[in-house]
Amino acid sequence: MKKKVVVIVGAGPSGLVALKEMLEKGHDATIIEKSGVIGGVFSTLRESSYDALYLTISNVFMAYSDFPCEEDYIKYSKKEEYAVYLERYAAHFGLLDRIKFNTTVEAATLEGETWRIKCSDGEVSADSLIVCTGSNQVPKKTPEIFAPFGGKVVHSSQFQNADAFKGERVLIVGTGESASDVAAEIAGVAQHATVWARRPFILAPRYTARHITKPGFDEYLCMQTEKMWRECYVGDFLECQTTSRAINALPLWMYSMVRQMGWKIMASDFSNKYLEFLGKYSRAATAYPGVDKSVYLRADQAGWVTKNSRISEMAGRGSLEVVVAQNLRVEGKTVTFSDVLVDSNGERNASPDVVNDYDTIVLCTGYTNDFDWIRTEQKLDWCPRAWFKHCWPSGFGDKLAFIGWARPHQGGIPQTSELCARFHALLLSGERELPANIAEVTKTESEAETRYYVLSPNLTSLCDWPSFASSLTAMIGCEPPVPWLVFSPSKWLKYWLYPMWPCWYRLKGPGAKPEVFDQVMDRFPVIGSKVLVDPVTLAITIPFSVVQKFFVNTMFFLFKPFSRLPGYHGFPTLYNKSKLNILHGYKMKVKSLFSFAM
């Protein structure tokens, strides 16, 4: 193996794991980091992100596959806790000495087979460039529609806490996870707070089971209370309902109907205004005027889901107004919302215009990328879907990789980044190859993603964790073996009912560390996890998954060869295939048809 020189730009979670994987394969790798600390938005610097930030993925899921979290229980980490985890990771694998801090990359030019990288302290050369700067680089500009506003307009990147908004009338634009936190914090101190969205949005509580079984359950209070953490179980967490293998073996229509049924039950629960709000808004997102009728059969799979229920909690208490309207007009400090799709109670009936005065507008409108410093003769398409697995642009081989632009619909970016980094290290070592027809494969997978995530056309980094992880681990050669039910019933149940946590991908293959898997899984025995007392899991998931794998998938495999291809191939194929086999090129395999019996 020829050792390659690798330069990685950015020391956030994606850059750190990229550095670790390159070093483990013997490559000469260095990170160039513009700040003086690691972690990116999860750094120890307070200003790296707002004060109220808690992760939307559990500590077990956000941990890298070979470096478990310290806690022996499952929880959602505060940003400072995850920053400490990243520092422990960097120290454990000896990464800090390979990071050039307080250094800016001014230009990276590919000259033949070599990158010439001009930095603020000089020039370096590299065989491979890995870009890990992340998609939260440059705040999007203020939209023209807010130009006439007579008050303050700020971007959420400037938000630290709600102190500056006490007693004000505030409009929050956006309904993402950070917007949910920003809105909830402001609503707690403002005279009046409104959230505006152009279309209905889908919300998902971090603890699905707890909200349903414990009326009045306060998600944010739980995250702040250590005692409450220790009362939570694996089965309480959203990731258990979205990323288990049994759930993802279901056909898409069944997976979606479970969600629609859950939303309907929530929407009719008048004893819990918060759940009622969440159910009504999520249902409206898949059936509002003008939306494609097929979206109903995709439910939460049709677009981005906000895995943060603080908007619905504050709205349910009457502390936060929510306006879903297609148009907005600004005159001075007066804002008029017209063409209202969903009223403040979550009803989908058209309602009159909503008119309010505001002192401040907070834009939770996201970020854009800055790639002007990358210079190549070959033209690059900057859309992540134009890169194979959201990582490798065609025509560059192992010369260029973008790690950190595969954003899971459920799951964390560090985990997709780790899989991409593991494959790229093998690619540089000559142990793996990219597809010979990489452009064709990428185009097919890109078109499937675009059709699938129809409600989030602009979020082109969006991917499906179960499918993405299965596809990448098949490429790496580290797919976990299916446990035998007869010989290891506990491990078999965990394989099918627990989330697809990263530790599963250290059981075999390159970089195998099965002892790490045991270290994690021994903390969470099946008895006491609550995965076996969930009636939805037992009554719907297991029987339908078995039928799906033994009969429906077998039928498609044997008699519908085209259905084995990834992506969208018409109504019968899309909705009747297992959800796991729709995106990212993860095809059905003969052995998987009978894996329930193992």
Side-chain angles (χ1 to χ4, degrees), residues 416-466:
T416 55
S417 295
E418 182 178 36
L419 293 177
C420 290
R422 290 176 69 180
F423 184 82
H424 194 70
L426 293 167
L427 186 65
L428 290 173
S429 301
E431 297 175 52
R432 297 291 184 276
E433 294 181 348
L434 291 168
N437 59 340
I438 185 173
E440 180 184 344
V441 172
T442 302
K443 183 174 183 292
T444 299
E445 294 184 11
S446 172
E447 289 175 349
E449 292 173 47
T450 300
R451 289 170 175 164
Y452 192 76
Y453 293 123
V454 67
L455 292 183
S456 300
N458 298 320
L459 189 54
T460 53
S461 58
L462 194 57
C463 66
D464 178 76
W465 166 254

Side-chain angles (χ1 to χ4, degrees), residues 22-39:
M22 300 309 128
L23 293 176
E24 279 204 345
K25 289 303 296 182
H27 301 297
D28 180 7
T30 305
I31 287 181
I32 299 175
E33 168 56 42
K34 66 179 179 181
S35 76
V37 295
I38 65 169

